[in-house]
Amino acid sequence: MTELRLRVPISGMTCAACALRIEKVLTRKGRVESASVNFAGAFAEVAFDPGKTTLAEVVGAIEGAGYSAVTQEMTLPVDGMTCASCVSRVERLLSRVPGVLEAAANLASNSVRVKFVAGTATREDLARAVAAGGYGVPAVAEEAAGDWEAARQARETSSLRRDLLVALVFTVPVFFLSMGHMVPGFPHVHSLPWIALALTVPVQFWAGRRFLRSAWVNLLHVSADMNTLVAVGTLAAFGASVAGTVWPQVFTARGEEPPMYYETACVIIALILLGRTLESRAKARTGDALRALVDLAPKTAWRLSEDGEREVPLSAVVPGDALRVRPGEQIPVDGSLLEGASAVDEAMLTGEPLPLEKGPGDRLFAGTLNTTGAFVMRAEQVGRETFLAKIVEMVQRAQGSKAPVQRLADRVAAVFVPVVIGVAAVTFVLWLALGPAPACSAALLHAVAVLIVACPCALGLATPTALIVATGRAARMGILVRDAEALETARLVDTVVLDKTGTLTEGRPSLTDLVPSGVFDSDELLRFASAAESSSEHPLAKAVLAEAARRGLKIVAAEGFEAVPGRGVRARVERRSVLVGTSDFLAENGVAPDADGDARARLEAEGKTVLCTAVDGSLAGLIAVSDRLRPESAAAVRILRERGLEVVLLTGDREGAARAVAAQVGIERVVAGVLPDRKAQVVAELQGSASAGGKRSTVAMVGDGVNDAPALVQADVGMALASGTDVARQAAGFTLVRPDLRLVPAALDLSAATLRNIRQNLFWAFGYNVLGIPVAAGVLVPFGGPGLTPVLAALIMAFSSVFVVSNALRLRRVPLGGNVIA
């Protein structure tokens, strides 16, 4: 095979020694013919024989050395895919393009996602490769592919309806002619063969032209798909009928009735068009959830400039633009509020049912709804950088990925159609040689039935339709799935590890208790403490000040402020000396903090941080601050435990605080005081421990911070809160857009439901072929068993695709998360 030379961009090199190391790794054991790594240019020139070494192995060697090959991903819309064989063929065509690492075609969305080494291929290169196989790649931008697919789906449904109507108009009289022998005096096809021929021609060559055209293109490219099977089957029936019409004497001379199978060709085409029409309508519904997300963003925005206010396309908005948003309008891009105030409905992102009050400086997100006042905002993230666009991109990526369970279907699809054509040929020959007279008639009917019943439409739709419906529903609920593999693995989880701060809790301290000593009431205690803390930047001080603001207390200016790190603060408030801090801090300053010792011990046992407050040398009271539990945390843990899952609290916080939180939510197993690198080790230990069934445990880790990233990667299933860090989200297989932990059991339920659905689809797709092909071939007929006519075969085949898509749509209604979440 010809040697392939590629330039592979590499990231992670820090010196010339890195370049030498990569060269050694690549050339070791003859992996590549030659490798020259350029440290300054950050790339490697690699020459290798694709017959001995794949590009994926070259990239894997680079990554195994601790570096990264820079890759790109691109999604292309594809015209002309009709079955699982098409999917397999498109993937093979693209895998031959130099630089392509993997290609995943999706029949349900009529698209293909391609991953390739950066700089080695262009969109034009990929489009040419697909076109070389007889498929089309429309010239639309990647971000507009969703709009193109919706328009294509509408055009296809309309075209199918039109062709179906034509087929029905001409098929009905042909069918009655074929049944004429059953009604005395009614015309029969053998008495009016030329009329039957005239009626069949529009069905075969107009209504069925899509099958003939695709079969012809496949023939030119020496390949075959479901259209080939339909075209060969119907043309065989039509051709035999034409022969019986034009040369009836050839058959009557042998004592046989001239073959008339016009109704077979017509009914097969009509039934398949009916199935394709129903399938197209159902497929359009599978993408409803994603289209609803895309439609949240408005198409235009009102931009302010020196020339006044003007409506511009959303694509014309750039960071820094000032935009006006009126009541009832959706916010066009991500940014911050400059002027005005309003209440913004962010339910589509957070699930929060009540609109949030927004003022100057507050963050705004594209697609959320401005409910009351008008305001001016500054555009900061636009286009594909908005949070909504990233959600849509993540959903599209998941829908375009392939679940491991689909691998068997892919292997079968790659050889399915040629094998079926071979089976049909063998069936024809055996019936012709061994069948009863008229042998030619029986041979033709059985061969056509084999061709029609075996069309692999259902096989190509079984997995992608379920994934599209499932990931779309997940996105509407607030669950973003990274890829199909994560969705498949989640159903196996038997242990769920939860981080504490920011996951079970809100991640920010807030004031929970005020315990005045008796000299002051609660408001007075809070007023003195907040005045003393007003100059502090400590998170605990902010919690105290926030509660004072919520109560509407007037905070006076403090004098002589002094912060003692790790201990507390002192200040003069209204000419009185105020101390706020730990009990040791008060004791060091001559104040006895033990007057409320029982209350302090109770609060600390609950995992709360206690601030002791003294005024003029006497204890004024206690202030407890805590990171509040998220309101749904206890319900989420209860649902997980009802599923029989083990729930573990894993935190870097101290033991007492961790156990107090665990007790509130119902978690029995706590691992506290753990550093970030140790978190991953704990997850690995949990994976190594056997579950109740004696198997290795499958662990899901739920976290939100940088310190959770190693554990999220180590876990079998990582789930990150969208309110957390970018590092955590990138390490996770699932992202929870809403900070609602009930989404965790919902995600696990969705995984189990999706895999059940895919298996049902694949069982039907494989099963009806396994049973249908031998029955259609007439294996049971010599033993008195049933056969399968071509018309019945067409009906079964059409039903199979509709069944698969309809079954996938059931995922939109499956109860999830203990019915807590719809």
Side-chain angles (χ1 to χ4, degrees), residues 704-738:
D704 74 319
V706 173
N707 62 333
D708 297 318
L712 289 169
V713 172
Q714 174 64 43
D716 299 281
V717 177
M719 297 185 179
L721 273 65
S723 56
T725 65
D726 288 341
V727 174
R729 293 196 299 271
Q730 290 167 6
F734 291 81
T735 299
L736 309 183
V737 176
R738 295 191 278 127

PDB file of all heavy atoms in Angstrom, residues 704-738:
ATOM      1  N   ASP A 704     -18.698  19.306  41.518  1.00  0.00           N
ATOM      2  CA  ASP A 704     -18.822  20.597  40.838  1.00  0.00           C
ATOM      3  C   ASP A 704     -17.518  21.390  40.741  1.00  0.00           C
ATOM      4  O   ASP A 704     -17.445  22.366  40.008  1.00  0.00           O
ATOM      5  CB  ASP A 704     -19.870  21.467  41.538  1.00  0.00           C
ATOM      6  CG  ASP A 704     -19.346  22.030  42.860  1.00  0.00           C
ATOM      7  OD1 ASP A 704     -18.673  21.278  43.605  1.00  0.00           O
ATOM      8  OD2 ASP A 704     -19.586  23.217  43.131  1.00  0.00           O
ATOM      9  N   GLY A 705     -16.500  21.002  41.473  1.00  0.00           N
ATOM     10  CA  GLY A 705     -15.311  21.848  41.543  1.00  0.00           C
ATOM     11  C   GLY A 705     -14.098  21.263  40.857  1.00  0.00           C
ATOM     12  O   GLY A 705     -14.093  20.110  40.412  1.00  0.00           O
ATOM     13  N   VAL A 706     -13.038  22.093  40.768  1.00  0.00           N
ATOM     14  CA  VAL A 706     -11.768  21.638  40.203  1.00  0.00           C
ATOM     15  C   VAL A 706     -11.255  20.430  40.968  1.00  0.00           C
ATOM     16  O   VAL A 706     -10.713  19.479  40.388  1.00  0.00           O
ATOM     17  CB  VAL A 706     -10.732  22.784  40.246  1.00  0.00           C
ATOM     18  CG1 VAL A 706      -9.362  22.274  39.821  1.00  0.00           C
ATOM     19  CG2 VAL A 706     -11.168  23.934  39.350  1.00  0.00           C
ATOM     20  N   ASN A 707     -11.451  20.452  42.295  1.00  0.00           N
ATOM     21  CA  ASN A 707     -10.954  19.350  43.116  1.00  0.00           C
ATOM     22  C   ASN A 707     -11.702  18.039  42.869  1.00  0.00           C
ATOM     23  O   ASN A 707     -11.250  16.972  43.275  1.00  0.00           O
ATOM     24  CB  ASN A 707     -11.039  19.719  44.605  1.00  0.00           C
ATOM     25  CG  ASN A 707     -12.475  19.973  45.056  1.00  0.00           C
ATOM     26  OD1 ASN A 707     -13.313  20.365  44.267  1.00  0.00           O
ATOM     27  ND2 ASN A 707     -12.735  19.750  46.324  1.00  0.00           N
ATOM     28  N   ASP A 708     -12.856  18.112  42.179  1.00  0.00           N
ATOM     29  CA  ASP A 708     -13.607  16.895  41.874  1.00  0.00           C
ATOM     30  C   ASP A 708     -13.214  16.288  40.532  1.00  0.00           C
ATOM     31  O   ASP A 708     -13.596  15.150  40.231  1.00  0.00           O
ATOM     32  CB  ASP A 708     -15.119  17.195  41.853  1.00  0.00           C
ATOM     33  CG  ASP A 708     -15.633  17.645  43.207  1.00  0.00           C
ATOM     34  OD1 ASP A 708     -15.222  17.044  44.212  1.00  0.00           O
ATOM     35  OD2 ASP A 708     -16.432  18.600  43.250  1.00  0.00           O
ATOM     36  N   ALA A 709     -12.493  17.023  39.693  1.00  0.00           N
ATOM     37  CA  ALA A 709     -12.198  16.582  38.330  1.00  0.00           C
ATOM     38  C   ALA A 709     -11.485  15.224  38.288  1.00  0.00           C
ATOM     39  O   ALA A 709     -11.883  14.356  37.492  1.00  0.00           O
ATOM     40  CB  ALA A 709     -11.391  17.639  37.583  1.00  0.00           C
ATOM     41  N   PRO A 710     -10.446  14.985  39.103  1.00  0.00           N
ATOM     42  CA  PRO A 710      -9.806  13.662  39.046  1.00  0.00           C
ATOM     43  C   PRO A 710     -10.769  12.523  39.359  1.00  0.00           C
ATOM     44  O   PRO A 710     -10.721  11.468  38.722  1.00  0.00           O
ATOM     45  CB  PRO A 710      -8.696  13.760  40.102  1.00  0.00           C
ATOM     46  CG  PRO A 710      -8.418  15.223  40.232  1.00  0.00           C
ATOM     47  CD  PRO A 710      -9.741  15.884  40.044  1.00  0.00           C
ATOM     48  N   ALA A 711     -11.647  12.727  40.321  1.00  0.00           N
ATOM     49  CA  ALA A 711     -12.617  11.696  40.684  1.00  0.00           C
ATOM     50  C   ALA A 711     -13.662  11.515  39.597  1.00  0.00           C
ATOM     51  O   ALA A 711     -14.112  10.394  39.329  1.00  0.00           O
ATOM     52  CB  ALA A 711     -13.290  12.044  42.009  1.00  0.00           C
ATOM     53  N   LEU A 712     -14.063  12.603  38.930  1.00  0.00           N
ATOM     54  CA  LEU A 712     -15.027  12.517  37.836  1.00  0.00           C
ATOM     55  C   LEU A 712     -14.466  11.701  36.680  1.00  0.00           C
ATOM     56  O   LEU A 712     -15.179  10.936  36.030  1.00  0.00           O
ATOM     57  CB  LEU A 712     -15.407  13.919  37.352  1.00  0.00           C
ATOM     58  CG  LEU A 712     -16.272  14.753  38.311  1.00  0.00           C
ATOM     59  CD1 LEU A 712     -16.344  16.203  37.841  1.00  0.00           C
ATOM     60  CD2 LEU A 712     -17.678  14.173  38.411  1.00  0.00           C
ATOM     61  N   VAL A 713     -13.166  11.868  36.417  1.00  0.00           N
ATOM     62  CA  VAL A 713     -12.515  11.106  35.353  1.00  0.00           C
ATOM     63  C   VAL A 713     -12.383   9.639  35.749  1.00  0.00           C
ATOM     64  O   VAL A 713     -12.598   8.733  34.947  1.00  0.00           O
ATOM     65  CB  VAL A 713     -11.134  11.703  35.016  1.00  0.00           C
ATOM     66  CG1 VAL A 713     -10.374  10.809  34.057  1.00  0.00           C
ATOM     67  CG2 VAL A 713     -11.292  13.097  34.433  1.00  0.00           C
ATOM     68  N   GLN A 714     -12.028   9.378  36.996  1.00  0.00           N
ATOM     69  CA  GLN A 714     -11.827   8.015  37.478  1.00  0.00           C
ATOM     70  C   GLN A 714     -13.139   7.230  37.502  1.00  0.00           C
ATOM     71  O   GLN A 714     -13.151   6.035  37.220  1.00  0.00           O
ATOM     72  CB  GLN A 714     -11.227   8.037  38.886  1.00  0.00           C
ATOM     73  CG  GLN A 714     -11.096   6.678  39.550  1.00  0.00           C
ATOM     74  CD  GLN A 714     -10.130   5.756  38.816  1.00  0.00           C
ATOM     75  OE1 GLN A 714      -9.061   6.185  38.390  1.00  0.00           O
ATOM     76  NE2 GLN A 714     -10.514   4.497  38.647  1.00  0.00           N
ATOM     77  N   ALA A 715     -14.234   7.903  37.805  1.00  0.00           N
ATOM     78  CA  ALA A 715     -15.516   7.214  37.931  1.00  0.00           C
ATOM     79  C   ALA A 715     -15.965   6.631  36.595  1.00  0.00           C
ATOM     80  O   ALA A 715     -15.593   7.110  35.524  1.00  0.00           O
ATOM     81  CB  ALA A 715     -16.573   8.179  38.462  1.00  0.00           C
ATOM     82  N   ASP A 716     -16.781   5.593  36.663  1.00  0.00           N
ATOM     83  CA  ASP A 716     -17.359   5.023  35.447  1.00  0.00           C
ATOM     84  C   ASP A 716     -18.293   6.022  34.786  1.00  0.00           C
ATOM     85  O   ASP A 716     -18.379   6.099  33.566  1.00  0.00           O
ATOM     86  CB  ASP A 716     -18.126   3.738  35.783  1.00  0.00           C
ATOM     87  CG  ASP A 716     -17.219   2.688  36.397  1.00  0.00           C
ATOM     88  OD1 ASP A 716     -16.486   2.028  35.647  1.00  0.00           O
ATOM     89  OD2 ASP A 716     -17.233   2.553  37.642  1.00  0.00           O
ATOM     90  N   VAL A 717     -18.998   6.788  35.614  1.00  0.00           N
ATOM     91  CA  VAL A 717     -19.911   7.825  35.123  1.00  0.00           C
ATOM     92  C   VAL A 717     -19.664   9.086  35.941  1.00  0.00           C
ATOM     93  O   VAL A 717     -19.830   9.069  37.165  1.00  0.00           O
ATOM     94  CB  VAL A 717     -21.388   7.398  35.257  1.00  0.00           C
ATOM     95  CG1 VAL A 717     -22.310   8.526  34.809  1.00  0.00           C
ATOM     96  CG2 VAL A 717     -21.654   6.142  34.444  1.00  0.00           C
ATOM     97  N   GLY A 718     -19.244  10.155  35.281  1.00  0.00           N
ATOM     98  CA  GLY A 718     -19.047  11.433  35.963  1.00  0.00           C
ATOM     99  C   GLY A 718     -20.224  12.349  35.702  1.00  0.00           C
ATOM    100  O   GLY A 718     -20.695  12.464  34.567  1.00  0.00           O
ATOM    101  N   MET A 719     -20.708  12.997  36.766  1.00  0.00           N
ATOM    102  CA  MET A 719     -21.808  13.956  36.629  1.00  0.00           C
ATOM    103  C   MET A 719     -21.386  15.260  37.285  1.00  0.00           C
ATOM    104  O   MET A 719     -21.065  15.285  38.479  1.00  0.00           O
ATOM    105  CB  MET A 719     -23.093  13.435  37.284  1.00  0.00           C
ATOM    106  CG  MET A 719     -23.646  12.175  36.648  1.00  0.00           C
ATOM    107  SD  MET A 719     -25.239  11.706  37.387  1.00  0.00           S
ATOM    108  CE  MET A 719     -25.640  10.244  36.431  1.00  0.00           C
ATOM    109  N   ALA A 720     -21.383  16.335  36.499  1.00  0.00           N
ATOM    110  CA  ALA A 720     -20.955  17.630  37.018  1.00  0.00           C
ATOM    111  C   ALA A 720     -22.111  18.618  36.986  1.00  0.00           C
ATOM    112  O   ALA A 720     -22.931  18.605  36.061  1.00  0.00           O
ATOM    113  CB  ALA A 720     -19.790  18.176  36.192  1.00  0.00           C
ATOM    114  N   LEU A 721     -22.171  19.470  37.995  1.00  0.00           N
ATOM    115  CA  LEU A 721     -23.167  20.530  38.009  1.00  0.00           C
ATOM    116  C   LEU A 721     -22.701  21.660  37.097  1.00  0.00           C
ATOM    117  O   LEU A 721     -21.529  22.046  37.118  1.00  0.00           O
ATOM    118  CB  LEU A 721     -23.376  21.067  39.422  1.00  0.00           C
ATOM    119  CG  LEU A 721     -24.409  20.316  40.285  1.00  0.00           C
ATOM    120  CD1 LEU A 721     -23.958  18.895  40.563  1.00  0.00           C
ATOM    121  CD2 LEU A 721     -24.665  21.065  41.582  1.00  0.00           C
ATOM    122  N   ALA A 722     -23.610  22.196  36.285  1.00  0.00           N
ATOM    123  CA  ALA A 722     -23.253  23.271  35.360  1.00  0.00           C
ATOM    124  C   ALA A 722     -22.837  24.530  36.115  1.00  0.00           C
ATOM    125  O   ALA A 722     -22.102  25.361  35.583  1.00  0.00           O
ATOM    126  CB  ALA A 722     -24.418  23.589  34.433  1.00  0.00           C
ATOM    127  N   SER A 723     -23.266  24.660  37.365  1.00  0.00           N
ATOM    128  CA  SER A 723     -22.872  25.821  38.167  1.00  0.00           C
ATOM    129  C   SER A 723     -21.439  25.690  38.660  1.00  0.00           C
ATOM    130  O   SER A 723     -20.879  26.621  39.235  1.00  0.00           O
ATOM    131  CB  SER A 723     -23.810  25.958  39.374  1.00  0.00           C
ATOM    132  OG  SER A 723     -23.824  24.754  40.134  1.00  0.00           O
ATOM    133  N   GLY A 724     -20.828  24.528  38.418  1.00  0.00           N
ATOM    134  CA  GLY A 724     -19.451  24.302  38.851  1.00  0.00           C
ATOM    135  C   GLY A 724     -18.440  24.809  37.848  1.00  0.00           C
ATOM    136  O   GLY A 724     -18.751  25.623  36.964  1.00  0.00           O
ATOM    137  N   THR A 725     -17.221  24.309  37.946  1.00  0.00           N
ATOM    138  CA  THR A 725     -16.124  24.807  37.109  1.00  0.00           C
ATOM    139  C   THR A 725     -16.121  24.144  35.739  1.00  0.00           C
ATOM    140  O   THR A 725     -16.667  23.067  35.543  1.00  0.00           O
ATOM    141  CB  THR A 725     -14.778  24.522  37.794  1.00  0.00           C
ATOM    142  OG1 THR A 725     -14.601  23.101  37.873  1.00  0.00           O
ATOM    143  CG2 THR A 725     -14.732  25.112  39.187  1.00  0.00           C
ATOM    144  N   ASP A 726     -15.462  24.816  34.774  1.00  0.00           N
ATOM    145  CA  ASP A 726     -15.313  24.257  33.427  1.00  0.00           C
ATOM    146  C   ASP A 726     -14.559  22.928  33.470  1.00  0.00           C
ATOM    147  O   ASP A 726     -14.877  21.997  32.722  1.00  0.00           O
ATOM    148  CB  ASP A 726     -14.557  25.239  32.518  1.00  0.00           C
ATOM    149  CG  ASP A 726     -15.405  26.444  32.161  1.00  0.00           C
ATOM    150  OD1 ASP A 726     -16.636  26.351  32.302  1.00  0.00           O
ATOM    151  OD2 ASP A 726     -14.835  27.470  31.757  1.00  0.00           O
ATOM    152  N   VAL A 727     -13.560  22.852  34.363  1.00  0.00           N
ATOM    153  CA  VAL A 727     -12.751  21.639  34.462  1.00  0.00           C
ATOM    154  C   VAL A 727     -13.628  20.452  34.845  1.00  0.00           C
ATOM    155  O   VAL A 727     -13.519  19.359  34.275  1.00  0.00           O
ATOM    156  CB  VAL A 727     -11.610  21.819  35.486  1.00  0.00           C
ATOM    157  CG1 VAL A 727     -10.866  20.508  35.695  1.00  0.00           C
ATOM    158  CG2 VAL A 727     -10.657  22.909  35.024  1.00  0.00           C
ATOM    159  N   ALA A 728     -14.524  20.667  35.805  1.00  0.00           N
ATOM    160  CA  ALA A 728     -15.403  19.588  36.243  1.00  0.00           C
ATOM    161  C   ALA A 728     -16.338  19.159  35.116  1.00  0.00           C
ATOM    162  O   ALA A 728     -16.539  17.967  34.875  1.00  0.00           O
ATOM    163  CB  ALA A 728     -16.218  20.041  37.460  1.00  0.00           C
ATOM    164  N   ARG A 729     -16.898  20.119  34.402  1.00  0.00           N
ATOM    165  CA  ARG A 729     -17.843  19.792  33.319  1.00  0.00           C
ATOM    166  C   ARG A 729     -17.157  19.026  32.193  1.00  0.00           C
ATOM    167  O   ARG A 729     -17.723  18.104  31.612  1.00  0.00           O
ATOM    168  CB  ARG A 729     -18.503  21.062  32.788  1.00  0.00           C
ATOM    169  CG  ARG A 729     -19.431  21.729  33.789  1.00  0.00           C
ATOM    170  CD  ARG A 729     -20.333  22.724  33.108  1.00  0.00           C
ATOM    171  NE  ARG A 729     -19.611  23.791  32.464  1.00  0.00           N
ATOM    172  CZ  ARG A 729     -19.268  24.925  33.055  1.00  0.00           C
ATOM    173  NH1 ARG A 729     -19.577  25.110  34.327  1.00  0.00           N
ATOM    174  NH2 ARG A 729     -18.622  25.860  32.405  1.00  0.00           N
ATOM    175  N   GLN A 730     -15.923  19.417  31.875  1.00  0.00           N
ATOM    176  CA  GLN A 730     -15.195  18.749  30.796  1.00  0.00           C
ATOM    177  C   GLN A 730     -14.815  17.321  31.167  1.00  0.00           C
ATOM    178  O   GLN A 730     -14.635  16.466  30.296  1.00  0.00           O
ATOM    179  CB  GLN A 730     -13.942  19.551  30.435  1.00  0.00           C
ATOM    180  CG  GLN A 730     -14.257  20.865  29.748  1.00  0.00           C
ATOM    181  CD  GLN A 730     -13.055  21.790  29.674  1.00  0.00           C
ATOM    182  OE1 GLN A 730     -11.946  21.402  30.047  1.00  0.00           O
ATOM    183  NE2 GLN A 730     -13.260  23.014  29.224  1.00  0.00           N
ATOM    184  N   ALA A 731     -14.691  17.046  32.464  1.00  0.00           N
ATOM    185  CA  ALA A 731     -14.295  15.713  32.916  1.00  0.00           C
ATOM    186  C   ALA A 731     -15.484  14.764  33.036  1.00  0.00           C
ATOM    187  O   ALA A 731     -15.290  13.569  33.215  1.00  0.00           O
ATOM    188  CB  ALA A 731     -13.586  15.817  34.268  1.00  0.00           C
ATOM    189  N   ALA A 732     -16.706  15.300  32.929  1.00  0.00           N
ATOM    190  CA  ALA A 732     -17.889  14.500  33.229  1.00  0.00           C
ATOM    191  C   ALA A 732     -18.586  14.007  31.970  1.00  0.00           C
ATOM    192  O   ALA A 732     -18.527  14.638  30.916  1.00  0.00           O
ATOM    193  CB  ALA A 732     -18.872  15.330  34.063  1.00  0.00           C
ATOM    194  N   GLY A 733     -19.267  12.861  32.103  1.00  0.00           N
ATOM    195  CA  GLY A 733     -20.073  12.332  31.011  1.00  0.00           C
ATOM    196  C   GLY A 733     -21.447  12.963  30.972  1.00  0.00           C
ATOM    197  O   GLY A 733     -22.111  12.976  29.942  1.00  0.00           O
ATOM    198  N   PHE A 734     -21.907  13.473  32.117  1.00  0.00           N
ATOM    199  CA  PHE A 734     -23.187  14.161  32.211  1.00  0.00           C
ATOM    200  C   PHE A 734     -22.955  15.537  32.838  1.00  0.00           C
ATOM    201  O   PHE A 734     -22.114  15.679  33.735  1.00  0.00           O
ATOM    202  CB  PHE A 734     -24.172  13.398  33.113  1.00  0.00           C
ATOM    203  CG  PHE A 734     -24.658  12.092  32.546  1.00  0.00           C
ATOM    204  CD1 PHE A 734     -23.876  10.943  32.639  1.00  0.00           C
ATOM    205  CD2 PHE A 734     -25.890  12.001  31.941  1.00  0.00           C
ATOM    206  CE1 PHE A 734     -24.321   9.738  32.135  1.00  0.00           C
ATOM    207  CE2 PHE A 734     -26.348  10.789  31.435  1.00  0.00           C
ATOM    208  CZ  PHE A 734     -25.564   9.660  31.528  1.00  0.00           C
ATOM    209  N   THR A 735     -23.703  16.525  32.389  1.00  0.00           N
ATOM    210  CA  THR A 735     -23.705  17.843  33.033  1.00  0.00           C
ATOM    211  C   THR A 735     -25.137  18.142  33.453  1.00  0.00           C
ATOM    212  O   THR A 735     -26.067  18.055  32.640  1.00  0.00           O
ATOM    213  CB  THR A 735     -23.212  18.939  32.076  1.00  0.00           C
ATOM    214  OG1 THR A 735     -21.864  18.652  31.691  1.00  0.00           O
ATOM    215  CG2 THR A 735     -23.244  20.306  32.752  1.00  0.00           C
ATOM    216  N   LEU A 736     -25.313  18.477  34.727  1.00  0.00           N
ATOM    217  CA  LEU A 736     -26.641  18.805  35.255  1.00  0.00           C
ATOM    218  C   LEU A 736     -26.806  20.317  35.186  1.00  0.00           C
ATOM    219  O   LEU A 736     -26.190  21.057  35.951  1.00  0.00           O
ATOM    220  CB  LEU A 736     -26.788  18.305  36.699  1.00  0.00           C
ATOM    221  CG  LEU A 736     -26.410  16.829  36.933  1.00  0.00           C
ATOM    222  CD1 LEU A 736     -26.678  16.450  38.385  1.00  0.00           C
ATOM    223  CD2 LEU A 736     -27.164  15.918  35.986  1.00  0.00           C
ATOM    224  N   VAL A 737     -27.601  20.776  34.218  1.00  0.00           N
ATOM    225  CA  VAL A 737     -27.769  22.213  33.998  1.00  0.00           C
ATOM    226  C   VAL A 737     -28.426  22.868  35.193  1.00  0.00           C
ATOM    227  O   VAL A 737     -28.088  23.970  35.592  1.00  0.00           O
ATOM    228  CB  VAL A 737     -28.603  22.466  32.719  1.00  0.00           C
ATOM    229  CG1 VAL A 737     -28.870  23.952  32.530  1.00  0.00           C
ATOM    230  CG2 VAL A 737     -27.875  21.909  31.506  1.00  0.00           C
ATOM    231  N   ARG A 738     -29.391  22.165  35.799  1.00  0.00           N
ATOM    232  CA  ARG A 738     -30.053  22.684  36.997  1.00  0.00           C
ATOM    233  C   ARG A 738     -29.412  22.064  38.226  1.00  0.00           C
ATOM    234  O   ARG A 738     -29.133  20.867  38.228  1.00  0.00           O
ATOM    235  CB  ARG A 738     -31.538  22.343  36.973  1.00  0.00           C
ATOM    236  CG  ARG A 738     -32.282  23.019  35.854  1.00  0.00           C
ATOM    237  CD  ARG A 738     -33.781  22.860  36.023  1.00  0.00           C
ATOM    238  NE  ARG A 738     -34.268  21.586  35.534  1.00  0.00           N
ATOM    239  CZ  ARG A 738     -34.999  20.734  36.239  1.00  0.00           C
ATOM    240  NH1 ARG A 738     -35.284  21.003  37.492  1.00  0.00           N
ATOM    241  NH2 ARG A 738     -35.434  19.617  35.722  1.00  0.00           N
TER     242      ARG A 738
END
